[in-house]
């Protein structure tokens, strides 16, 4: 399992939003898809950030008008990324060393990064259980 590639391990597509989308719309999308984060992309679909449930909670705590705030005001631009041919061992290393819950699987296109998937700690545990069932 540790040698499985990101491409082999990813189970879902990428749910994205734009930086100018309102936080309420982002919250509704997360709820609708039962996910804890959205990948933020520019107009051409290139990675520019991630917005998480925790970011939404922070916005709600800080502002009465959180619903109308743009995603870019609360998104994280320091996104942990892996390439599709990277191993799950690299994913685990990033999750543990950076104390994060997910990484974005990307593909380099014209020197920029296109998101192709998201792998979370839950995905790792899923594959751990599959390998030993």
């Amino acid at each position: 399992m540790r040698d499985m590639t990101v491409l082999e391990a990813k189970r879902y597509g990428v749910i994205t939003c734009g930086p100018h989308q309102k936080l309420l719309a982002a919250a509704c999308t997360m709820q609708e898809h039962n996910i804890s984060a959205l990948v933020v992309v520019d107009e051409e679909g290139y990675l520019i950030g991630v917005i998480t449930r925790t970011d939404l909670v922070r916005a709600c705590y800080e502002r009465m008008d959180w619903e109308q705030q743009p995603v870019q005001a609360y998104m994280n631009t320091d996104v942990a990324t892996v390439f599709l041919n990277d191993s799950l061992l690299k994913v685990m290393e990033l999750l543990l060393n950076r104390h994060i819950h997910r990484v974005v699987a990307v593909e380099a296109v014209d020197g920029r990064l296109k998101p192709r998937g998201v792998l979370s700690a839950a995905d790792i545990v899923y594959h751990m259980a599959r390998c030993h069932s």
Side-chain angles (χ1 to χ4, degrees), residues 39-40 47-50 76-82 98 100 102-104 106 113:
V39 176
V40 185
L47 175 68
I48 59 173
V50 170
N76 183 350
T77 58
D78 182 23
V79 181
T81 59
V82 292
R98 292 189 58 180
I100 55 177
R102 73 198 55 77
V103 297
V104 178
V106 295
L113 300 177

Side-chain angles (χ1 to χ4, degrees), residues 44-62:
E44 299 172 321
Y46 290 101
L47 175 68
I48 59 173
V50 170
I51 184 93
T52 68
R53 286 181 181 161
T54 303
D55 297 325
L56 295 176
V57 170
R58 181 168 44 91
C60 184
Y61 176 77
E62 292 177 358

